[in-house]
Amino acid sequence: STWLDDDPSSHPAAADVGVPRASILSRAFYRDFKMGRRPARCYRQIKNKPYPKSRYCRGVPDSKIRIYDAGMKRYSVEVFPACVHLVSWEKENVSSEALEAARIACNKYMVKNCGKEAFHLRVRIHPFHVLRINKMLSCAGADRLQTGMRGAFGKPQGVCARVDIGQILLSVRCKDSNVDSACESLRRAKFKFPGRQKIITSRKWGFTPYDRTDYLLWKKEGRLINDGVNAKLIHNHGYLEERNPAQLVEGAARVCRVPVHPEE
């Protein structure tokens, strides 16, 4: 038997003489009651301002996703010229649980079909927005144990990322022979997210912001410097005495981006 079956005064909560049994029962119910996670559809819509973790917002649970790069993340920019993106087509909240599930699904398919040294997967969004929950009892007799709107601001429950239309969720860089596998891995990762997403094959070289034709041209001219998974472009700006003599170039890297139509 427990203290509830015996005399209520034997419980530490009833140290004071005369505490009614009903209040002791309610305290024990609140102490032993644990509520399950609310489904992510309750937090899908972006409603309020960003609410990040801070010295005012304490007790935030850790994010479920802790690894944002998978595969050969240390390979040079020269190794993987192709790049495929998973782009969000809705403005919504994406939970950290969904990001972790999508990362696992995409990574598992790429490792199985291409090998663990044939790609580099990067999660492009980070969950900084804190989700709140106002715990309410929803069982029989709960109406006598809770009091409506008192302190309804809620306590931190989890974290999510605020995503806009056209924002990249996941990116995979690989060789040209593995582009189809990268598209299929991102298609499987789509099922872990709410809303709509699109898979887009990039015209850029890897994770760099440069087109593949421009990258090859500038690499031939010596205008690019490898910088890990990215590349730096040498411009012709600045004072000559402050620049490296080995990196002096004549003329702009890109003269004009307006397409030139052939003469008819």
Side-chain angles (χ1 to χ4, degrees), residues 32-45:
D32 300 332
F33 180 78
K34 291 185 179 180
M35 191 172 182
R37 252 190 87 248
R38 209 176 260 178
R41 63 174 176 269
C42 301
Y43 300 101
R44 177 177 167 184
Q45 184 179 0

Side-chain angles (χ1 to χ4, degrees), residues 117-217:
E117 297 184 357
F119 71 99
H120 175 199
L121 165 65
R122 173 169 288 179
V123 181
R124 302 287 295 274
I125 56 176
H126 291 241
F128 290 128
H129 182 68
V130 179
L131 303 174
R132 300 188 298 265
I133 181 172
N134 182 27
K135 291 186 178 179
M136 303 282 283
L137 304 180
S138 58
C139 56
D143 54 340
R144 296 187 297 121
L145 302 177
Q146 61 187 6
T147 53
M149 285 293 294
R150 182 177 299 174
F153 186 75
K155 300 294 179 63
Q157 185 209 16
V159 288
C160 71
R162 295 159 66 96
V163 176
D164 207 348
I165 297 174
Q167 188 170 352
I168 299 176
L169 304 178
L170 304 175
S171 295
V172 178
R173 66 182 182 117
C174 58
K175 296 183 179 179
D176 291 331
S177 58
N178 295 326
V179 171
D180 293 338
S181 297
C183 293
E184 175 61 20
S185 67
L186 292 179
R187 188 192 70 86
R188 298 188 175 206
K190 282 173 58 176
F191 296 116
K192 311 300 180 182
F193 293 121
R196 295 169 296 170
Q197 295 83 30
K198 290 195 175 183
I199 300 173
I200 297 177
T201 303
S202 176
R203 292 194 299 263
K204 311 294 184 181
W205 182 283
F207 288 165
T208 67
Y210 314 123
D211 289 347
R212 300 185 68 165
T213 54
D214 292 338
Y215 183 92
L216 295 174
L217 177 62

Side-chain angles (χ1 to χ4, degrees), residues 92-107:
E92 59 186 356
N93 287 327
V94 177
S95 66
S96 62
E97 290 83 1
L99 287 174
E100 175 69 4
R103 182 192 68 84
I104 292 174
C106 183
N107 181 69

